[in-house]
Amino acid sequence: MPIEWRAATRELLLGNGRLTYGMRVLDDDTLGHLYLGPALHGGRSYAHLGAPDFAGFTNRIGTPVALECPVGGSGDFRVPAVAVAFPADGSGVLHLRYVEHRVMAGKPPLPGLPSTYVEAGDEAETVIVTLRDEPSGLIVEVATTIFRDHRALARSLRLRNEGAAPIDLLGAASWSLDLPDAAWQLTTLSGTWARERHVVARPLVPGRQGVGSTRGASGHEHNPFLLLRRADTTEAHGEAIGLSLVYSGNFRAEVEVEPFGSARARVGLDAEGFGWRLEPGAEFVTPEAVLVYSDDGLGALSDTYHELYRERLARGLWRDRERPILVNSWEGAHFQFDEARLLGMATAARDLGIESFVLDDGWFGARDDDTSSLGDWTVDRRKLPQGLGHLAQAVEALGMSFGLWIEPEMVSPRSRLFEQHPDWAIGVPGRPRTESRQQLVLDMGNPAVVDHLAMVLGDLLGSASIAYVKWDMNRNITEMYGRTLPPDRQGEAFHRSMLGVYELYERLTSRFPAILFESCAGGGGRFDPGMLAFAPQAWTSDDTDAFERLRIQWGTSLVYPLSSMAAHVTAVPNLQVGRGTPLATRAAVAFFGVFGYELDPTALSPDERAQVVDQVAFYKRHRTLFQRGHFVRLHGPFDGDGNETAWMVVAPDREQAIVGLYQGLNHPEPGPRRLRLRGLDPAVTYQVSLWPARDDDLSRRNEGPRGGDELMGAGLSLAAGREEIESRGDHWARLFVLERRGG
Ligand code: DGJ
């Protein structure tokens, strides 16, 4: 059994042969933490690993005690997991004591919130530990799931007021993890628009450190994730702990190092600006946190997140399906199109082998630029006189599927919707509202808004043959105020608006199960596990420059699978950085994701068309490998001078693999280096070929049969003659395709 209860010592040990997580009810009934680390034998007590008791600190110094659900105000001066205020007397002191626990097969769903799930009861086991604050009647249920086949645990707290008076919840972390030492480096995925999820690492220092969002979305700036790794942890070796929050709104991911050198890591809702009134009988459920522990390096940690999020977080028909290669109209046409132009683009794309045509922004209301019409989800007859249905049919007649862009949560001040319902836009009555991209955010915490959008967008999606939806969200929330909430419940506004977004997603995805949804937020501004539960892929970034994308996709891959990363080839000079990169390099980067194009295919030269035909055929041939393979990071854009990147994807049965090698600036005389691969079958002989095919040194040195043992032990040869090096130029890329020849 993955979960063992040792009654004599009141220990709970969760283990699956890859990791063990230990908790213990301490002598004073506080829930203590014992252990997180490599798998320990079952049938033994580990009670000695934790302190016996925690009755507050009885001396001036206060030795830290490891706790599962810490609270403030009674001697633990570290950041609490749960914080409350009791309106009856204004106090905020809590004593959460063990009442009972129950173990169950499987994993219960979280009401209204996205979460990981199981398809069979034996895939996971869950223990729910009930804690109670006797004077107030506050119940906290700590539900922890261990997955049978993954190095992963999931946790959520359920808080219930069983008392007679209201309780104000001021903060509730989804996971608070006490670690016995602080000899970790903290890594976060941070950046901003067009450079999302860069890998940022720093050693832990005393005090609190971390990242978060107060923007109403997880944000471009920081992902709801933190990674702790030892100084000597590499991709293939060493310890790492990940905490990932399945949530798309305001969050905090942080670590506190206290004076004795222990560390408390926690992820959850951001307490800043958060409050939740729990009336007697009411419940509050925190978003889920997913903890991954690896003692086999970062690669194994990422593998775990990839498998779990691809197969047991993403849902629906498209979870396991191959995703189509699409062309998106945005960078090719922006707002300037009519039906003839769009069909011209679609026809040209079809001739290149592209499978789907997606009409981006600009098709509705009177939207000729970004100053109007959000909220008016009816087709602009000036541009499309015969309507969307006609366009969709015409695209289908070409043998392609049709996709459409929407931005449901927004309203333009210049729109019919705003004229009719100015009070649906978020803002404090009597105060100015900050506009961003000339738009305002709808109050998704207002059920009338969600009902309206479910109806209007439901009608829209039912009105034409739409196979794909890109759900955008182009600004963050300012002047937050929930008009349907009373003054003393305004702290609920952000979380309620997130719950409203999830509800709308749930309604539309269940009403249109055949549609492939892709989430987007001005690029990757809401690329998080919460969104993945509804949309199995996301627009990774508005920055499609091949060199910039290496960093973005590398960082994103720490947590998110390739099947979630939409990656498109766009025209040069690149719109975000003005850089020119070879077409082959742009494709060689975008292949490692859900591949597509975002340009005007009618503007391609004959040579470019021939290249695109080859690229599309290449991706189709290897699509399953790219979308479902096991991703291995070899050499990173955040290592050294960042000039060289190498990564690979390996089929689950290890019969095929593709290695991507990328170089930023070209340098003379690189020397006879080798690139050692990982994750192959040492017993298999692979036929190595290069893409694009060239008659050059690199091909001659590597093409042919090579053992998996040799490719991992000695590696590919990167040597090339001077002439060949001189001809490469900057932003060069090459792929090595490995296919099994025989055992
Ligand atoms: C931001 C998205 O990231 C782009 O891909 C595009 O859809 C624009 N919005 C359209 O306004």
Side-chain angles (χ1 to χ4, degrees), residues 588 591-592 614 617-619 621-623 625-626 647-651 654-661 675 677 680 685-693 698-699 702-706 711 716 734-741:
F591 283 155
F592 288 81
D614 177 48
F618 182 84
Y619 190 77
R621 200 158 56 245
H622 301 291
R623 173 167 21 205
L625 176 59
F626 282 123
W647 57 33
M648 60 190 284
V649 64
V650 186
R654 297 189 292 173
E655 304 239 317
Q656 292 173 350
I658 295 181
V659 181
L661 175 67
L675 176 66
L677 307 185
L680 300 174
T685 303
Y686 296 92
Q687 179 68 31
V688 180
S689 59
L690 271 73
W691 185 93
L698 201 64
S699 304
N702 291 290
E703 285 191 333
R706 298 281 188 277
L711 290 167
L716 295 162
R734 210 66 187 279
L735 303 185
F736 300 78
V737 180
L738 281 51
E739 279 158 317
R740 182 195 173 98
R741 260 173 64 115

Side-chain angles (χ1 to χ4, degrees), residues 330-372:
W330 181 243
E331 289 207 9
H334 287 117
F335 296 103
Q336 279 77 50
F337 55 80
D338 56 19
E339 189 180 271
R341 172 140 198 231
L342 297 177
L343 286 176
M345 289 169 76
T347 309
R350 189 273 317 268
D351 294 345
L352 301 167
I354 293 171
E355 299 159 318
S356 185
F357 178 79
V358 176
L359 174 54
D360 208 279
D361 197 352
W363 59 266
F364 52 92
R367 190 156 162 98
D368 295 329
D369 53 32
D370 59 16
T371 61
S372 84

Side-chain angles (χ1 to χ4, degrees), residues 326-327 329 342 345-346 355-359 391 395 400-403:
L326 59 84
V327 63
S329 66
L342 297 177
M345 289 169 76
E355 299 159 318
S356 185
F357 178 79
V358 176
L359 174 54
L391 176 65
V395 169
M400 305 171 91
S401 59
F402 177 71

